[in-house]
Amino acid sequence: MPTPRLTDLPDAALRLIEKASGPVADIEIVTAGLNSTIAARVRTTDRTLFVKGLPLDHPWVWTQKREADVGPYVGSVAPELLWHVEEDGWSLLGFEHVQGGHADFTPGSPDLPAVMATMAWLAEVPAPAVELKTMPHRLRTYVEDPGELSWFAGNSLIHTEWNPHNVLMTDRGALLVDWGWASIGAAWIDPALWLLWLIAHGHTPGQAESEAAAHPAWETAPPAGLDALARVQRRLWDSIAAESTDDWAKPMQRAAQAWAEHRTERIGER
């Protein structure tokens, strides 16, 4: 479920920002995004940064620490993490501010090759020595046969959250934000999860798989593993759509259903 966004920066949070980055000259609240109580562009006397935060008693505050832990490993494809503070009831992350719009995932978009290039770079990052959930653990609730979970195991760092709002198109290429759900698993899972968002933005399942096939790990994806992930994603998005009123939930549910049906048809062709 989305986290309500504050429209003003609390005094305690402002003090923490100034402690980390110096006197604040201007604050602009960012309305996009779902998972932070605080999201703001903050201009200090010598730089502009992006600050996101959650109260320390928030049930998702662990995602803040995960982003802080992953940050040092993904600097080439993400805004630089400047600091992480947990004091006075708040967990705050301060990032370099980068100029860029959200990625366009529609068919024929010029953004798609750059997104794939970033995804391919990420596939080469070995599992970092930080505490991250594995994909078999994350998906365990959505399998009918626990044996299917073995398909999702691997040693790659994967982002997993391919909402286009998490991809910024910049002069440095496609940069990824919101690493709170970063996980360890098979490298082919990231392009497989990305293709669901492509379907939701107008691709057919076949077109989306063709885009995903440009990923260097796609050829290592076992067909049975892709079939299993499609079934899992259909159950997962059915569950999300049943509880969420967000405008992206139903399109993603339909996308997951379309991919699962496509994979079932492919089974019949093998």
Side-chain angles (χ1 to χ4, degrees):
M1 296 296 289
T3 297
R5 179 69 45 80
L6 293 181
T7 56
D8 293 299
L9 212 60
D11 290 341
L14 178 59
R15 288 194 296 270
L16 292 176
I17 294 170
E18 293 193 322
K19 181 178 178 180
S21 291
V24 170
D26 185 61
I27 298 169
E28 179 185 357
I29 299 297
V30 176
T31 57
L34 301 171
N35 298 325
S36 299
T37 302
I38 290 173
R41 295 182 190 91
V42 177
R43 184 166 58 86
T44 68
T45 54
D46 58 0
R47 74 180 305 161
T48 300
L49 59 155
F50 174 73
V51 177
K52 62 184 295 187
L54 288 170
L56 285 175
D57 60 358
H58 193 283
W60 289 355
V61 72
W62 57 269
T63 63
Q64 293 275 115
K65 183 178 187 304
R66 180 166 296 174
E67 287 206 65
D69 289 343
V70 170
Y73 298 90
V74 296
S76 295
V77 293
E80 180 186 2
L81 175 65
L82 304 174
W83 44 260
H84 175 217
V85 296
E86 291 189 333
E87 296 179 37
D88 297 337
W90 286 98
S91 173
L92 300 179
L93 295 166
F95 296 91
E96 66 166 325
H97 179 260
V98 295
Q99 294 286 349
H102 300 304
D104 177 1
F105 285 173
T106 58
S109 166
D111 294 347
L112 301 183
V115 176
M116 177 54 67
T118 292
M119 200 182 308
W121 181 93
L122 182 59
E124 299 300 317
V125 177
V130 299
E131 183 180 354
L132 295 172
K133 291 183 179 179
T134 68
M135 289 307 292
H137 178 79
R138 280 185 55 182
L139 300 178
R140 68 195 187 283
T141 305
Y142 301 99
V143 295
E144 292 182 345
D145 176 6
E148 291 182 336
L149 292 173
S150 62
W151 294 119
F152 313 137
N155 296 312
S156 295
L157 174 65
I158 52 180
H159 185 278
T160 79
E161 292 293 298
W162 291 97
N163 185 318
H165 284 97
N166 293 338
V167 185
L168 298 179
M169 304 307 300
T170 75
D171 57 7
R172 290 161 48 188
L175 298 185
L176 305 182
V177 301
D178 285 349
W179 290 83
W181 289 91
S183 303
I184 301 298
W188 56 264
I189 292 176
D190 257 347
L193 297 180
W194 180 55
L195 72 81
L196 291 176
W197 288 94
L198 297 185
I199 296 170
H201 284 80
H203 289 76
T204 67
Q207 290 170 336
E209 285 197 350
S210 293
E211 294 288 347
H215 193 281
W218 187 259
E219 64 182 17
T220 70
L226 289 170
D227 298 341
L229 185 62
R231 292 190 294 271
V232 162
Q233 289 300 301
R234 181 171 189 167
R235 297 181 192 115
L236 184 153
W237 283 104
D238 282 347
S239 175
I240 292 173
E243 298 180 1
S244 176
T245 59
D246 296 310
D247 57 8
W248 46 262
K250 293 296 184 183
M252 285 300 294
Q253 181 188 30
R254 291 192 291 269
Q257 291 170 345
W259 189 42
E261 291 168 1
H262 176 74
R263 293 306 306 178
T264 298
E265 293 171 0
R266 294 286 299 274
I267 291 174
E269 297 171 359
R270 291 176 202 150

